[in-house]
Amino acid sequence: MHVTPTRVVEERNWVRDRAETVVPIINDVRDDLGEIFDTEVDSITTEQYRTEVDVVFADGDLAVNVAAMVAILRELDVEGDYPGFVVDELLGRELAATIAGRQPLRTLGEATFHYADLHVHGDASENAGVDDCEAALAAGFQERLPGWNWTDRESPFGVRYSSS
């Protein structure tokens, strides 16, 4: 695979165009996890998703890595699928973490990928890695987007430095 700026744009467009599939996954995951953790989690809109895709792809270093992982997952298909189970899980988890960002969101993105992946099943006509890609996009972007109460407040663990 050869990744060029043109290929990054193509992958960005594919990720953006996948909103109709990814946004409902994000909202389903947020509903489920909100219920599990007894908290309200805001749903997101297609526009919020697309705007955040643009933010991710505006950072060239991040964009090239996200684009490469998306391209690999989109093209990944293993005869009989099961032997390829580990590689698509590994790539999906890393894609979700990369999109989610710094800790603790990175680890939460990885964990959420596995949860989302259990609930996402691709079309039989698609390569095996596509549903893992969609689950990863949902997990990573749902961590980046507002709506979780704990991310809407200042952490009580921040230490303020004073020069006096």
Side-chain angles (χ1 to χ4, degrees), residues 20-131:
E20 299 305 318
T21 302
V22 176
V23 170
I25 297 168
I26 291 172
N27 290 329
D28 288 346
V29 165
R30 283 178 164 213
D31 287 345
D32 288 353
L33 294 178
E35 187 175 319
I36 290 166
F37 293 113
D38 194 30
T39 189
E40 291 289 321
V41 187
D42 297 339
S43 295
I44 64 135
T45 66
T46 297
E47 191 54 41
Q48 284 177 294
Y49 170 79
R50 288 184 174 145
T51 297
E52 200 62 26
V53 169
D54 293 343
V55 169
V56 166
F57 279 89
D59 178 341
D61 293 339
L62 177 59
V64 70
N65 286 284
V66 169
M69 285 185 272
V70 167
I72 292 168
L73 280 165
R74 286 181 54 203
E75 294 176 13
L76 181 64
D77 205 20
V78 177
E79 188 174 328
D81 187 36
Y82 190 75
F85 172 75
V86 173
V87 71
D88 59 13
E89 294 294 307
L90 181 68
L91 287 167
R93 187 185 78 210
E94 188 59 30
L95 175 58
T98 301
I99 291 169
R102 296 175 42 204
Q103 293 295 5
L105 298 179
R106 179 178 178 79
T107 296
L108 291 171
E110 291 180 64
T112 304
F113 163 73
H114 291 295
Y115 184 83
D117 191 37
L118 291 173
H119 298 90
V120 176
H121 304 288
D123 186 304
S125 66
E126 294 178 323
N127 289 342
V130 172
D131 64 338

